[in-house]
Amino acid sequence: MENDLSRALELRRKGRLIESNQVIMELLLLDSHNASLHYQRAVGLDILGQEIESIPYYVKAIELGLPNNELEYAFVGLGTIYRSHGRFLESKALFELSISVFPGKEQMKVFYAMALYNLGEYRKAMEFLIDVLSWTTTNQDILKHYRAISYLGHRLDSSSDEIVQLTKGSKKINQSEKSIVKKVSEGLKNVSIGGFHTCEASEFDDYYLYFNNPDFDTRKSSLAEFTVMLGNWHSKCSFPFTPQHDRKYDGYFAPYEPSHELNNYVEAFVLHHEQIKQDFPIMFKYIVRFLLEIEEEYQIPYELKFPEVNGGLFSILRKDVLIPNRYLLNKDKDFNMFLKEAGIPEIY
């Protein structure tokens, strides 16, 4: 049972959401009183935007008794769904419970204030927000739910239908049979104009699969794409790696289309980092720099920002790659050298 659940969560990390949900549903049929299985079922449905369907699983998981790390996310997931679907009293009651269970978790008070607002308790809502946010600007419990707080906080008067309409964008990914080299060369051909602020992106592919490809140009192109994705993220031009639970708040919600999973890219980078450093030292330096600075700037560990990823992977990333190569941040970073190594034409 434990091994099967681990397999289901690994499928989710890799973006194989339908398969993951199917395995969890099969496990629930065998063990219907397992709180964590109900929770994971709810999360799987929530990620796919099936919020109403996820509600009974969240409720059952909380009733059966969850460990604190899962209970915290269950309160947030269920409470925000209640509020988005006009069930304000239920949202208020749930967040009151969450505050009593987790008095030190400030994010619960923020979500509670939103429910108060919808019930017309404006003064109380504002008091909660002011009291919380005035001294928690670096609080990691706020930061790890920042996207949800920001998105929902600007849509306090929106109905569920309006929120769903906003989030379910028309992004459509059609993968062609072009080579990795062709996709990257077409996608990044203008990146030299504005650097990492240009939001350049190539046609979707699982570029991490090619970090150790025997063909040098394929390997180079896949690393160039990863470097630019991190560069766009670092410059806040775009966010190619969005936590799974936050995707319904990014304005381009397309849950049945493939997405770039940070888990896959970090795993491949850690596995092949020595060869990457030897073959592509400039790109390696930029990747290390971006991974270090993104985490430091957001003031929240990757483990908290991406709860779907096994935290041990980030520990290995730091210990084996980032910390030993931190000295590279003091080296000169020549963008033209990056363009040359990545095979991106310079524009004069």
Side-chain angles (χ1 to χ4, degrees):
M1 178 77 72
E2 216 172 291
N3 289 339
D4 288 333
L5 178 56
S6 296
R7 180 167 65 88
L9 297 181
E10 181 62 23
L11 287 170
R12 182 185 294 166
R13 293 184 194 107
K14 294 183 178 297
R16 295 162 63 180
L17 304 178
I18 306 300
E19 294 173 66
S20 173
N21 287 352
Q22 183 60 40
V23 172
I24 291 171
M25 196 62 210
E26 291 170 359
L27 292 175
L28 261 178
L29 294 175
L30 299 174
D31 188 2
S32 61
H33 296 287
N34 188 310
S36 289
L37 287 178
H38 281 278
Y39 168 71
Q40 293 299 344
R41 174 64 174 162
V43 171
L45 290 169
D46 198 356
I47 289 170
L48 292 175
Q50 299 176 30
E51 295 183 335
I52 295 296
E53 293 86 346
S54 74
I55 288 175
Y57 293 100
Y58 274 127
V59 171
K60 191 67 174 178
I62 293 170
E63 287 177 352
L64 290 171
L66 288 166
N68 281 352
N69 63 316
E70 293 180 336
L71 182 59
E72 176 190 345
Y73 280 95
F75 278 141
V76 172
L78 179 58
T80 56
I81 289 172
Y82 277 155
R83 201 193 67 76
S84 295
H85 288 267
R87 296 165 65 169
F88 306 132
L89 286 172
E90 290 168 282
S91 180
K92 176 186 176 182
L94 188 69
F95 283 120
E96 284 176 344
L97 173 61
S98 74
I99 290 169
S100 69
V101 173
F102 297 110
K105 296 291 185 181
E106 300 300 324
Q107 81 275 26
M108 299 302 182
K109 299 174 185 177
V110 176
F111 288 115
Y112 178 56
M114 292 184 189
L116 292 175
Y117 174 92
N118 288 117
L119 288 168
E121 300 180 45
Y122 307 124
R123 177 178 224 143
K124 191 174 180 182
M126 287 305 299
E127 286 174 354
F128 262 89
L129 286 177
I130 292 170
D131 287 346
V132 172
L133 296 178
S134 64
W135 61 275
T136 58
T137 54
T138 61
N139 185 286
Q140 291 187 347
D141 289 318
I142 294 292
L143 291 171
K144 69 185 176 185
H145 294 289
Y146 173 79
R147 189 183 293 268
I149 292 171
S150 177
Y151 189 88
L152 295 173
H154 285 84
R155 293 164 175 80
L156 290 171
D157 293 315
S158 297
S159 68
S160 177
D161 288 344
E162 289 170 327
I163 290 174
V164 170
Q165 184 66 33
L166 282 169
T167 56
K168 288 191 175 180
S170 58
K171 179 178 69 175
K172 187 69 178 175
I173 297 173
N174 296 308
Q175 288 183 257
S176 70
E177 296 302 316
K178 297 176 187 174
S179 70
I180 295 299
V181 175
K182 182 72 170 174
K183 288 181 180 180
V184 174
S185 64
E186 290 179 354
L188 304 185
K189 61 186 177 183
N190 293 324
V191 73
S192 57
I193 297 175
F196 297 112
H197 297 270
T198 56
C199 296
E200 293 286 342
S202 301
E203 180 182 329
F204 182 89
D205 210 309
D206 291 323
Y207 293 100
Y208 65 91
L209 293 175
Y210 305 93
F211 285 3
N212 197 41
N213 192 277
D215 179 71
F216 182 84
D217 287 335
T218 299
R219 201 159 70 247
K220 175 182 68 177
S221 296
S222 68
L223 262 299
E225 182 65 27
F226 182 42
T227 307
V228 171
M229 282 195 286
L230 289 178
N232 290 164
W233 187 13
H234 179 265
S235 67
K236 297 183 176 63
C237 170
S238 66
F239 301 92
F241 300 109
T242 302
Q244 291 178 349
H245 65 281
D246 273 347
R247 289 175 191 167
K248 64 182 179 180
Y249 303 123
D250 70 4
Y252 299 95
F253 189 45
Y256 295 97
E257 297 292 349
S259 296
H260 292 299
E261 304 289 349
L262 184 61
N263 177 85
N264 296 332
Y265 281 85
V266 170
E267 195 174 71
F269 181 62
V270 169
L271 183 61
H272 305 300
H273 74 273
E274 292 181 353
Q275 191 63 48
I276 293 170
K277 183 178 182 179
Q278 178 179 315
D279 292 345
F280 309 105
I282 306 300
M283 284 194 280
F284 179 82
K285 181 167 60 175
Y286 269 105
I287 291 170
V288 168
R289 171 202 168 191
F290 290 146
L291 288 172
L292 282 167
E293 293 183 354
I294 287 169
E295 185 173 47
E296 291 170 0
E297 184 171 343
Y298 277 88
Q299 303 178 71
I300 178 172
Y302 288 120
E303 290 90 336
L304 294 182
K305 191 169 182 65
F306 292 85
E308 70 270 18
V309 178
N310 184 336
L313 176 59
F314 292 125
S315 296
I316 295 171
L317 171 68
R318 293 189 194 93
K319 180 174 69 72
D320 292 353
V321 186
L322 300 185
I323 294 175
N325 291 286
R326 191 181 184 89
Y327 72 94
L328 293 174
L329 270 64
N330 299 321
K331 303 285 186 180
D332 291 336
K333 291 177 278 291
D334 190 323
F335 185 67
N336 288 332
M337 290 176 64
F338 158 72
L339 295 176
K340 182 176 181 180
E341 184 177 88
I344 301 172
E346 295 182 44
I347 297 179
Y348 299 94

